[in-house]
Amino acid sequence: MSQTVIETPQSTTPSAVPDRQRTTRSEPRLRGTATWVRDRIPTLLVLATFGGLFYYGHHSDWKLPKFSALTGTATSAPGDWCEEHGIPESQCVACNPGLLPAEPDYGWCAEHGVHNCTLHHPDVAEVKETPVVSSADFEQAAVALSLRERPTNNAACKVYQRFIQFASVDAVQQAGVEVTLVDQAPVTEWVTGNGEIRYDATRFARLSTRVPGTAWRVFKSIGDTVQEGEVLAVVDAMEVGRLKGNLVKAIVEKDLAQKNVDRLTGLTEGVVPGKKILENEAVLAKAEAEVLSAEQALANLGLAVDAESYAGLPKQEVVERLRFLGFSEVLAEQMKSQTATANLIPIRSPMAGVIVDRQVVAGEVVDPSKVLFDVADPSKMWLMLNIPLEEAWLLQIGQPVRFLPNGSREEVAGQLSWISTAADKQTRMVKVRAELDNSHGQLRDETFGEGRIMLREEQAAVIVPKSAVHWEGCCQVVFVRDRNYFSDPDSPKLFHLRSVRTGAVNGDDVEVIVGLLPGEVVVTEGGDVLRAQLLKNSLGAGCCAE
């Protein structure tokens, strides 16, 4: 009998679990804790930042640093601080006017449109010695102001009485303020317009035949230089042959009539009736008229002939002389062996110049309506400019003109010679013309470009960089450094506001017609910092506040 054996399983206790298993189970908990902390670090940083901001605001009454605290390095005694102007109160000129000698306020200058006019009152200039203003300076300003409309200032504006004060030179430098010396330089003022170069219409000719015919010979081509009267082509025209025949016939009839009159006049009086003599004289007069008519008909074709020089010559000799009428002897000799026709008429150049176009070949049928050659004298060219109607009134005949052709690096010069009396109906532009010298031969017909017409030229105009001039709502102003800026280490570091009138702009510089004098020092960089401080101190007052 078989037996079944049943094994009873052994029980396990916690003490029997190895240490390695307990370590494995604790690792996920540690990683979870680290991930939780890491994910909340940005939030903790933001909270810490807001906490620091709230702490600073609570202890500073929520006030930002003053302008001078950000840009200056000057130190002041405890309590010696001007909260309104942001500098040590002991140095504040606005609070202690005695620190700065009082300067005269001349107010508004109606003639020049500025406050404290430097032309009428040069003592207001921020320089050590009072400049000398001459009558030429007044005349120069008057011409510039009257030439065209200039930016204007408000007479009620009081901003010119303001100034900006810094605590120290270091404060000025840290604010990024840069200055430059007011200088004098040549200035030109222009009216500009687009245009093109064209052939001088008085030196340009379009040639065609005067009578219908066939081009027998063509001697010249495009680009050939020609002289006045030179033959360009020869046309075979039947009308020319017919007119020459009429002249020969009229000359022969005239000679015959002249002989009859001479014969009858030489007879004894009474032998020939007077009626017969009158009839022959009438025939002679008619023959002379026919000669004159035929002579004029040829002259109308450019074939001048003196019929009197043919009187008394044999008929054949007259025909031979008229055969090559209008041609030089050299050319006539060359053509004798090539043709026997008397129908030839030359096409001549009316001027010295260059063939700029040719539209004919030998054997082609031609007529007066067909242009055969274009001849131009390019030594002088026309410049046609389009000027805005609003600026046309500034122009005068004889004004200098400069033109820069497209693709060229050099300007060409000329003078204004014509101003149209009408404006274009569509573009509202006024056409003007200048004459250009082209003796060097570099100018090309129908070349486009930009032209400038000089309105005014000054050899010694007051100029400053464009960045020095600011618009303060109702006035154009500059910041001028005080004349005593470097007189003493403790002298106030002031920049005064000055209203000005500007003129021509040349590149990065602008002309100051009135308001500044040479030798003064103006702010060119960092002006926005000064304007911001000016605006801060003027909140609620306005530019023109009293």
Side-chain angles (χ1 to χ4, degrees):
M1 177 180 287
S2 61
Q3 295 181 354
T4 303
V5 179
I6 300 176
E7 296 181 357
T8 303
Q10 299 180 354
S11 60
T12 61
T13 62
S15 60
V17 178
D19 293 340
R20 178 177 53 82
Q21 294 181 0
R22 288 197 301 270
T23 302
T24 302
R25 293 175 181 175
S26 63
E27 287 179 354
R29 293 194 195 95
L30 293 175
R31 285 197 297 267
T33 302
T35 302
W36 183 87
V37 173
R38 182 189 61 192
D39 291 343
R40 284 157 178 75
I41 287 178
T43 303
L44 295 175
L45 291 176
V46 172
L47 292 175
T49 301
F50 277 111
L53 180 62
F54 292 147
Y55 177 83
Y56 172 81
H58 177 72
H59 288 80
S60 63
D61 293 331
W62 299 99
K63 293 182 179 180
L64 293 176
K66 294 293 184 178
F67 171 76
S68 58
L70 295 176
T71 61
T73 59
T75 59
S76 59
D80 183 22
W81 189 257
C82 177
E83 292 289 344
E84 181 180 358
H85 301 108
I87 57 175
E89 188 169 359
S90 60
Q91 302 176 15
C92 182
V93 174
C95 298
N96 303 285
L99 296 177
L100 185 69
E103 295 188 358
D105 184 354
Y106 297 104
W108 176 252
C109 174
E111 179 181 353
H112 298 120
V114 295
H115 306 86
N116 280 349
C117 178
T118 54
L119 292 181
H120 287 103
H121 309 286
D123 55 298
V124 303
E126 296 296 335
V127 291
K128 291 296 184 180
E129 298 182 1
T130 302
V132 177
V133 177
S134 65
S135 58
D137 296 326
F138 279 90
E139 183 179 354
Q140 179 175 318
V143 171
L145 291 174
S146 63
L147 181 62
R148 62 200 316 176
E149 291 186 5
R150 309 293 185 185
T152 58
N153 299 319
N154 191 329
C157 181
K158 300 299 181 182
V159 72
Y160 75 97
Q161 298 175 342
R162 306 294 301 277
F163 57 82
I164 302 297
Q165 183 177 2
F166 285 83
S168 64
V169 174
D170 290 339
V172 176
Q173 295 176 348
Q174 292 183 20
V177 175
E178 296 183 7
V179 296
T180 190
L181 190 68
V182 178
D183 200 1
Q184 289 182 305
V187 166
T188 53
E189 195 163 6
W190 311 82
V191 167
T192 61
N194 295 323
E196 64 176 328
I197 295 175
R198 300 302 304 267
Y199 287 123
D200 185 338
T202 64
R203 299 168 181 263
F204 180 82
R206 314 196 77 181
L207 307 181
S208 61
T209 179
R210 301 192 183 190
V211 288
T214 303
W216 184 70
R217 291 286 187 275
V218 180
F219 301 114
K220 297 295 181 179
S221 188
I222 296 178
D224 289 346
T225 301
V226 297
Q227 300 300 322
E228 182 178 356
E230 188 171 354
V231 177
L232 310 182
V234 178
V235 174
D236 187 340
M238 288 192 304
E239 179 67 12
V240 175
R242 186 183 68 81
L243 294 177
K244 289 180 180 180
N246 290 343
L247 180 58
V248 172
K249 179 181 178 182
I251 290 175
V252 171
E253 290 179 350
K254 177 188 173 183
D255 288 345
L256 180 58
Q258 185 66 53
K259 290 178 181 180
N260 288 335
V261 171
D262 292 343
R263 180 176 58 82
L264 295 175
T265 304
L267 297 177
T268 305
E269 185 177 352
V271 175
V272 180
K275 180 180 178 181
K276 188 68 172 178
I277 295 176
L278 291 177
E279 290 176 353
N280 280 274
E281 289 179 347
V283 171
L284 176 60
K286 182 179 179 181
E288 290 175 344
E290 292 292 339
V291 170
L292 182 61
S293 177
E295 185 180 14
Q296 187 61 46
L298 288 171
N300 292 339
L301 300 181
L303 301 175
V305 59
D306 183 11
E308 291 296 331
S309 63
Y310 296 96
L313 296 178
K315 176 182 176 180
Q316 190 59 37
E317 186 175 350
V318 174
V319 172
E320 191 62 28
R321 287 193 178 186
L322 292 176
R323 180 181 173 189
F324 295 110
L325 181 64
F327 295 94
S328 64
E329 294 183 0
V330 175
L331 193 56
E333 287 295 328
Q334 294 176 0
M335 295 189 296
K336 279 183 180 180
S337 60
Q338 300 175 12
T339 181
T341 182
N343 298 343
L344 302 182
I345 179 174
I347 306 297
R348 296 181 178 276
S349 174
M351 68 182 76
V354 178
I355 304 294
V356 297
D357 194 15
R358 166 184 156 174
Q359 301 181 19
V360 61
V361 295
E364 184 177 358
V365 176
V366 297
D367 59 65
S369 64
K370 178 180 176 60
V371 177
L372 307 182
F373 296 94
D374 286 346
V375 180
D377 177 7
S379 62
K380 297 287 185 181
M381 303 291 281
W382 278 359
L383 171 61
M384 306 300 297
L385 293 176
N386 296 310
I387 302 299
L389 179 62
E390 296 78 11
E391 296 185 318
W393 66 275
L394 298 170
L395 305 181
Q396 296 180 1
I397 301 298
Q399 288 176 326
V401 178
R402 301 290 185 272
F403 183 73
L404 182 63
N406 291 342
S408 175
R409 298 180 180 179
E410 296 183 0
E411 284 187 325
V412 292
Q415 282 191 333
L416 197 64
S417 60
W418 172 76
I419 304 172
S420 175
T421 57
D424 187 273
K425 294 181 179 179
Q426 296 181 342
T427 64
R428 309 311 298 162
M429 292 288 188
V430 176
K431 284 191 174 295
V432 299
R433 183 181 70 228
E435 296 183 359
L436 306 177
D437 178 68
N438 190 34
S439 55
H440 49 72
Q442 297 300 312
L443 303 181
R444 302 287 184 265
D445 181 49
E446 297 186 356
T447 298
F448 292 94
E450 184 179 27
R452 303 182 298 160
I453 303 174
M454 184 185 296
L455 303 179
R456 180 175 65 95
E457 183 177 22
E458 300 292 349
Q459 296 299 323
V462 176
I463 62 168
V464 296
K466 290 190 292 186
S467 59
V469 182
H470 307 276
W471 175 252
E472 287 300 326
C474 59
C475 293
Q476 279 190 309
V477 299
V478 294
F479 293 96
V480 186
R481 194 176 71 185
D482 188 82
R483 64 170 67 92
N484 297 315
Y485 188 88
F486 287 117
S487 296
D488 185 86
D490 297 329
S491 62
K493 310 308 176 190
L494 301 178
F495 291 90
H496 303 271
L497 276 85
R498 181 89 56 77
S499 59
V500 297
R501 298 288 298 278
T502 57
V505 176
N506 280 7
D508 294 330
D509 296 328
V510 62
E511 175 192 17
V512 177
I513 300 175
V514 63
L516 287 174
L517 291 179
E520 295 189 278
V521 178
V522 296
V523 174
T524 57
E525 298 294 336
D528 292 338
V529 176
L530 303 183
R531 294 179 65 192
Q533 182 67 9
L534 178 68
L535 180 62
K536 172 186 172 183
N537 295 337
S538 303
L539 287 177
C543 171
C544 301
E546 292 290 335

